[in-house]
Amino acid sequence: MISNYPISERKACKIIKVPRSSYSYKAVVKQDDVYIKQLDQLVQKHIAIGFWKSYHRIRRSGEIINHKKLYRIYTAMKLNIRRRSKKRLPARVKQQLFQPSQMNEVWSIDFMSDALWDGRRIRLLNIIDDYNREVLMIETDTSLPTIRVIRCLAQIGERRGLPKMIRVDNGPEFISAKLDMWCKDNDIQLIFIQPGEPIQNAFIERLNGTFRRDILNAYVFKSIQEVKDISQEWIQDYNYNIPHKSLKNKTPIEYRLNE
């Protein structure tokens, strides 16, 4: 209208009923990239950091920004939604599965799961000596936290001494700070296999397969005590009566006593 008729901007806006402020408005490009990058770096480094700590950190770095503007960016990035942090495992170096030359040089421990007749889930903690494949303990219960694992290891240590090394996977009970501290107090080295590489713990994986085939898949258990009783009988038979080809066709106990 202004270009075609000799009228002012004010009159043109009044005719078409458009506020002059809307007509004159020019969109401002928001320069948020710098703050998005800063917030992303803070969240990556400090998992539990909140908005106000992020705001003050950015201000202390020399950036002058209004807290309302930063909060708009913060919510747009959905950082106001509670974040679940992912546990970070330290790098696991591939460890060669070697044959120990003496008793109590390396123990391997691992968990198994099964269910009773009434549907209750149970867990089993298997512990063996890699030197002669001797089963040192099979502990069974509905829950076996780290404290229970430490107690089992200590019980075995009372009757035969503790090992120089313990080979484990990356389960939550094994990466616990409590187990790490207990091992350091007893001069035991924890050897972690690489995630997704059970073959690196082959000695106990083979035991797990044999135990599942002979016991867990063969019986229906009505109570935890039944599992314990039958497991104890199986351990006795396994250690004293079953020869192993890798042990020169000797049983675990024969190999330990004669070698």
Side-chain angles (χ1 to χ4, degrees), residues 86-92 169-172 175 192-195:
K86 184 178 180 181
K87 282 194 174 181
R88 299 175 182 174
L89 293 175
R92 304 306 191 196
D169 60 20
N170 296 277
I175 63 175
F192 291 94
I193 66 172
Q194 292 175 301

Side-chain angles (χ1 to χ4, degrees), residues 150-215:
I150 294 172
R151 189 190 310 164
C152 291
L153 293 170
Q155 287 175 359
I156 300 170
E158 289 175 359
R159 69 172 189 262
R160 61 177 284 141
L162 292 170
K164 296 179 182 178
M165 294 179 282
I166 296 178
R167 184 182 287 111
V168 296
D169 60 20
N170 296 277
E173 297 84 2
F174 300 144
I175 63 175
S176 166
K178 293 178 182 178
L179 181 60
D180 182 63
M181 184 63 67
W182 182 82
C183 288
K184 288 179 179 177
D185 291 342
N186 290 276
D187 296 322
I188 300 171
Q189 180 185 357
L190 269 179
I191 305 173
F192 291 94
I193 66 172
Q194 292 175 301
E197 297 290 342
I199 193 65
Q200 294 179 13
N201 207 0
F203 292 141
I204 199 157
E205 288 294 339
R206 180 177 180 182
L207 173 77
N208 292 347
T210 302
F211 183 75
R212 184 169 294 281
R213 182 177 61 252
D214 291 352
I215 302 298

Side-chain angles (χ1 to χ4, degrees), residues 108-121:
S108 291
I109 59 180
D110 197 16
F111 282 103
M112 298 182 69
S113 298
D114 207 75
L116 301 178
W117 174 255
D118 59 8
R120 283 184 297 161
R121 301 298 301 178

Side-chain angles (χ1 to χ4, degrees), residues 38-218:
Q38 288 179 319
L39 284 171
D40 189 57
Q41 289 175 344
L42 285 172
V43 171
Q44 290 292 330
K45 189 174 181 180
H46 309 283
I47 297 296
I49 196 170
F51 168 72
W52 284 109
K53 285 191 176 181
S54 301
Y55 169 72
H56 289 300
R57 278 177 177 266
I58 291 174
R59 287 293 297 264
R60 286 173 64 86
S61 70
E63 292 285 347
I64 305 300
I65 182 173
N66 183 276
H67 70 276
K68 289 182 284 187
K69 177 178 179 180
L70 188 66
Y71 188 71
R72 171 181 60 77
I73 301 170
Y74 187 85
T75 53
M77 294 173 66
K78 297 185 178 180
L79 298 179
N80 57 322
I81 300 173
R82 192 175 186 87
R83 301 179 297 280
R84 178 176 293 180
S85 59
K86 184 178 180 181
K87 282 194 174 181
R88 299 175 182 174
L89 293 175
R92 304 306 191 196
V93 180
K94 184 176 180 180
Q95 298 285 344
Q96 184 178 2
L97 186 64
F98 62 95
Q99 173 64 51
S101 58
Q102 59 184 354
M103 184 181 78
N104 287 349
E105 189 172 354
V106 183
W107 291 0
S108 291
I109 59 180
D110 197 16
F111 282 103
M112 298 182 69
S113 298
D114 207 75
L116 301 178
W117 174 255
D118 59 8
R120 283 184 297 161
R121 301 298 301 178
I122 60 172
R123 301 195 78 195
L124 301 98
L125 174 66
N126 298 343
I127 306 174
I128 67 169
D129 190 324
D130 287 2
Y131 168 64
N132 62 333
R133 320 297 196 273
E134 181 180 355
V135 183
L136 306 180
M137 180 180 286
I138 295 180
E139 182 73 347
T140 307
D141 212 329
T142 54
S143 177
L144 294 170
T146 302
I147 293 296
R148 190 77 170 273
V149 173
I150 294 172
R151 189 190 310 164
C152 291
L153 293 170
Q155 287 175 359
I156 300 170
E158 289 175 359
R159 69 172 189 262
R160 61 177 284 141
L162 292 170
K164 296 179 182 178
M165 294 179 282
I166 296 178
R167 184 182 287 111
V168 296
D169 60 20
N170 296 277
E173 297 84 2
F174 300 144
I175 63 175
S176 166
K178 293 178 182 178
L179 181 60
D180 182 63
M181 184 63 67
W182 182 82
C183 288
K184 288 179 179 177
D185 291 342
N186 290 276
D187 296 322
I188 300 171
Q189 180 185 357
L190 269 179
I191 305 173
F192 291 94
I193 66 172
Q194 292 175 301
E197 297 290 342
I199 193 65
Q200 294 179 13
N201 207 0
F203 292 141
I204 199 157
E205 288 294 339
R206 180 177 180 182
L207 173 77
N208 292 347
T210 302
F211 183 75
R212 184 169 294 281
R213 182 177 61 252
D214 291 352
I215 302 298
L216 297 182
N217 290 348

